[in-house]
Amino acid sequence: MALKYKLGTEVEIKSPPEKYYNIFKGQAYHVPNAVPDHIQGVDVHEGDWETHGSVKIWKYTMEGKSDLVFKEKVEYDDENRSATLIGIDGDIMQEYKSFKGTYQVVPKGTGSLAKLTIEYEKLSDDVPPPDKYITLMVNVTKGIDELIAKAK
């Protein structure tokens, strides 16, 4: 029995869609500066900062536990301004067989709407939904928005 699910939310931000998307497409190294309480570092493991298929390793804190690691392979969709982080290793893979977090941004008024989704497959029935990871994605999005606002 496949235990595949999808979870998502939306966040209104003040940043123009291009600036928000460009953080993921080439400037992910700024994310730890935007949300140092949540993300302590990100390093390129294979490829580079802006190439589709590159592999990055994120160091993060969740629920008071630090030194957590998420190794991902990124997929970019420039037309739809979305970056999908596909989990390939790390702490999260202890609970989920597959994990894909997508940050998509669309224009809305004078700012943007960030659409955050997680597609995941549980390793077992007793694994909780990744609500805490959606919360992390919301915090990252808000932090990036504030970072962009400060850079103006």
Side-chain angles (χ1 to χ4, degrees), residues 16-88:
E18 297 78 19
K19 288 189 176 186
Y20 176 86
Y21 177 61
N22 286 339
I23 293 290
F24 289 97
K25 177 87 190 267
Q27 301 174 19
Y29 49 83
H30 285 305
V31 175
N33 297 327
V35 285
D37 292 344
H38 302 287
I39 307 293
Q40 286 73 52
V42 59
D43 296 305
V44 173
H45 184 69
E46 294 174 22
D48 56 37
W49 291 107
E50 56 196 43
T51 303
H52 184 84
S54 291
V55 175
K56 296 179 194 72
I57 298 174
W58 298 79
K59 296 177 183 96
Y60 66 100
T61 297
M62 171 118 2
E63 298 177 331
K65 187 175 179 186
S66 59
D67 299 324
L68 297 172
V69 173
F70 178 60
K71 185 176 183 181
E72 53 87 357
K73 186 175 193 176
V74 69
E75 290 181 352
Y76 296 114
D77 180 345
D78 293 338
E79 185 177 333
N80 293 306
R81 292 185 203 93
S82 73
T84 300
L85 313 181
I86 302 168
I88 56 177

